[in-house]
């Protein structure tokens, strides 16, 4: 079975930083409450950047680092629930800006915060049937556009940003993955155009509970599939929704929290953006060594969950 190899990553965050103190000017909240309940200190809200701009910037970086050009891309997927347009898709706007080839299909994928993991799985299945060797995968959101800034239970949690990866399939890639869905409209939802109320709504405790039910179980299943133990994994890259969820997952798995990468403090929850943004930060910091095992763990609206356990591979100078 084909696995994926990640050849290059990129990220783009809006310039405007919004601190907890800034939000406390608008809603009845405070820095202490937000930090202790979520781990978030600040997030980025777009003032003028579009999602297309963030997606294209992160994609260009990923392509540059992978050493590939637009002409090498055979598949383009954008995971998002907050695209610039309902149609054409976000991926089509990226396709246009990057002048991707016409035989490169481009489409959006909606799986909430698990979107990037769904995109990776889709690429693993589709890419061998495409005409060109690489897929461009983007996860990104402008959630500030669908969050009610007067609702203190949601406006403190979310942020804007995008991350991207260029991947190829490889028979030699050690890659194990898992996706799941528990259809549930009430836990976390945002209405379509014309429907109201227009904002994102969430039952925080239900989502919290869902994450703790599914994420540790998913991690164990992935380890079983790979024949590995929890200690064989060098890095856990969880969806950044809440530090308390990450800490609880680490505790349930009996894995030191230091093995879980976290940046929620700086960006909040960027939904489909959190995992590619984290991967890019980690790659930039040189945290990945060839041969290391990495486990990405996502969950979100849908309700959906997804995980990928893979061995980091050295990128050959000239990929073919
Ligand atoms: N500041 C101050 N007080 C607040 C705030 C705030 N920003 N928000 C809520 N409160 C109050 C509530 O009104 C409530 O007050 P009351 O007791 O007087 O009624 C009190 O704090 C406790 O509220 P809870 O909702 O019980 O707080 P909880 O400890 O559950 O924390 C939170 C809320 C942070 C949302 C938590 O439930 C959570 O993180 N859930 C998971 C959410 C999540 O991960 N969402 C995204 C995942 S899916 C995805 O990524 C798309």
């Amino acid at each position: 079975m084909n696995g994926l190899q990640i050849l290059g990553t990129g990220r783009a965050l809006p310039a405007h930083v919004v601190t907890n103190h800034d939000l406390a000017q608008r809603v009845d909240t405070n820095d202490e409450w937000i930090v202790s309940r979520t781990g978030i200190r600040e997030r980025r809200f777009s003032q003028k950047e579009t999602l297309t701009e963030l997606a294209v910037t992160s994609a260009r970086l990923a392509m540059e680092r992978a050493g590939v050009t637009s002409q090498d891309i055979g598949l383009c997927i954008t995971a998002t629930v907050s695209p610039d347009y309902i149609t054409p898709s976000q991926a089509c706007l990226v396709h246009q800006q990057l002048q991707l080839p016409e035989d490169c299909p481009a489409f959006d994928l909606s799986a909430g915060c698990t979107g990037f993991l769904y995109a990776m799985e889709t690429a693993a299945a589709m890419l061998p049937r495409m005409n060109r060797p690489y897929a461009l995968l983007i996860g990104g959101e402008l959630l500030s556009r669908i969050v009610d800034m007067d609702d203190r239970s949601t406006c403190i949690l979310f942020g804007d940003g995008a991350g991207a990866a260029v991947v190829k399939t490889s028979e030699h890639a050690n890659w194990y993955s898992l996706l799941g869905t528990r259809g549930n409209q009430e836990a976390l939802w945002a209405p379509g155009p014309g429907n109201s109320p227009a904002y994102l709504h969430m039952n925080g405790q239900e989502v919290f509970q869902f994450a703790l039910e599914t994420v540790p179980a998913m991690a164990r299943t992935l380890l079983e599939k790979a024949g590995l133990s929890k200690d064989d994994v060098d890095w856990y890259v969880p969806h950044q929704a809440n530090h308390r969820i990450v800490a609880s997952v680490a505790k349930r798995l009996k894995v030191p929290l230091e093995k879980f990468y976290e940046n929620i403090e700086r960006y909040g929850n960027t939904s489909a953006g959190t995992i590619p943004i984290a991967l890019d930060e980690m790659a930039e910091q040189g945290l990945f060594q060839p041969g290391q095992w990495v486990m990405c763990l996502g969950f979100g609206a849908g309700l959906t969950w997804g995980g990928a356990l893979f061995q980091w591979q050295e990128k050959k100078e000239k990929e073919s």
Side-chain angles (χ1 to χ4, degrees), residues 145-164:
R145 149 195 279 177
I146 57 169
V147 166
D148 179 355
M149 290 300 164
D150 292 318
D151 175 3
R152 68 178 182 174
S153 68
T154 52
C155 74
I156 56 144
L157 291 172
F158 297 101
D160 300 339

Side-chain angles (χ1 to χ4, degrees), residues 27-30 33-34 37-38 112-113 152-153 156-158 188 202-205 207-208 239-242 244-245 269 271 299-301:
V27 291
D28 181 14
T29 191
N30 57 73
W33 193 96
I34 301 173
R37 300 287 178 122
T38 70
C113 305
R152 68 178 182 174
S153 68
I156 56 144
L157 291 172
F158 297 101
L188 184 51
M202 185 181 68
N203 179 334
Q205 287 182 4
V207 176
F208 204 109
H239 169 48
Q240 313 281 315
N242 185 322
R244 282 160 59 211
I245 294 177
N269 177 352
S271 188
F299 63 94

Side-chain angles (χ1 to χ4, degrees), residues 44 74 85 87 97 129 138 167 177 195 201 230 252 260:
R44 306 291 178 95
Y85 295 89
T87 194
Q97 297 272 320
R129 300 173 67 85
I138 299 164
V167 299
S177 52
N195 289 336
H201 302 263
K230 62 186 171 54
R252 284 170 193 222
F260 282 73

Side-chain angles (χ1 to χ4, degrees), residues 54-66:
L54 298 181
V56 166
T57 302
S58 62
R60 284 211 166 98
L61 285 166
M63 285 165 56
E64 197 180 304
R65 288 168 185 156

Side-chain angles (χ1 to χ4, degrees):
M1 202 178 71
N2 274 324
L4 291 184
Q5 182 181 359
I6 297 175
L7 299 169
T9 55
R11 68 181 186 279
L13 282 305
H16 182 56
V17 176
V18 177
T19 65
N20 293 343
H21 297 292
D22 294 332
L23 290 178
Q25 306 293 311
R26 177 152 180 172
V27 291
D28 181 14
T29 191
N30 57 73
D31 181 59
E32 194 279 328
W33 193 96
I34 301 173
V35 172
S36 65
R37 300 287 178 122
T38 70
I40 301 167
R41 291 184 189 277
E42 59 186 45
R43 73 287 291 143
R44 306 291 178 95
F45 284 165
S46 168
Q47 285 189 312
K48 55 181 172 31
E49 298 93 343
T50 62
L51 186 56
T52 306
E53 285 164 358
L54 298 181
V56 166
T57 302
S58 62
R60 284 211 166 98
L61 285 166
M63 285 165 56
E64 197 180 304
R65 288 168 185 156
V68 308
T69 71
S70 292
Q71 292 310 303
D72 300 316
I73 304 293
L75 178 66
C76 173
I77 306 175
T78 301
T80 186
V81 297
S82 51
D84 284 342
Y85 295 89
I86 296 298
T87 194
S89 69
Q90 191 61 61
C92 286
L93 301 178
V94 170
H95 190 285
Q96 179 178 20
Q97 297 272 320
L98 294 178
Q99 298 184 306
L100 298 181
E102 287 202 4
D103 62 3
C104 165
F107 60 92
D108 288 356
L109 192 157
S110 170
C113 305
T114 323
F116 195 75
L117 287 147
Y118 272 66
M120 289 203 287
E121 190 72 21
T122 306
M126 283 183 70
L127 199 48
R129 300 173 67 85
M130 299 295 111
N131 290 333
R132 298 165 198 264
Y134 304 104
L136 174 60
L137 308 179
I138 299 164
E141 308 284 357
L142 286 196
L143 289 175
S144 61
R145 149 195 279 177
I146 57 169
V147 166
D148 179 355
M149 290 300 164
D150 292 318
D151 175 3
R152 68 178 182 174
S153 68
T154 52
C155 74
I156 56 144
L157 291 172
F158 297 101
D160 300 339
V166 169
V167 299
K168 71 166 189 174
T169 50
S170 159
E171 284 172 15
H172 310 294
N174 284 319
W175 183 281
Y176 303 88
S177 52
L178 191 66
L179 298 178
T181 300
R182 183 187 296 173
N184 176 327
Q185 185 254 308
E186 296 83 18
L188 184 51
W189 58 282
N195 289 336
S196 64
Y199 295 116
L200 187 142
H201 302 263
M202 185 181 68
N203 179 334
Q205 287 182 4
E206 191 176 348
V207 176
F208 204 109
Q209 193 53 40
F210 166 74
L212 294 191
E213 270 172 44
T214 51
V215 176
M218 171 166 65
R220 288 189 195 103
T221 306
L222 285 169
L223 290 170
E224 221 170 276
K225 277 186 171 204
L228 297 175
S229 94
K230 62 186 171 54
D231 301 323
D232 295 325
V233 177
D234 297 282
W235 288 110
Y236 291 82
V237 187
H239 169 48
Q240 313 281 315
N242 185 322
H243 168 70
R244 282 160 59 211
I245 294 177
V246 175
S248 302
V249 168
K251 196 169 168 193
R252 284 170 193 222
L253 291 175
K254 298 193 173 64
V255 169
L257 193 53
E258 297 70 45
K259 280 195 172 186
F260 282 73
Y261 187 79
E262 287 191 86
N263 59 15
I264 191 170
E265 192 180 40
R266 286 174 284 129
Y267 302 139
N269 177 352
T270 57
S271 188
T274 68
I275 286 181
I277 291 171
L279 289 173
D280 185 51
E281 285 195 340
M282 296 174 78
E284 191 174 77
Q285 291 166 39
L287 296 182
F288 297 129
Q289 300 302 320
Q292 284 189 332
W293 284 97
V294 180
M295 187 188 285
C296 296
L297 293 164
F299 63 94
L303 295 165
T304 55
W305 70 90
L309 170 59
F310 54 92
Q311 209 165 16
W312 195 260
Q313 282 183 279
E314 192 152 23
K315 183 166 78 76
K316 305 229 170 51
E317 254 338 291
K318 186 68 195 159
E319 295 289 345
S320 59

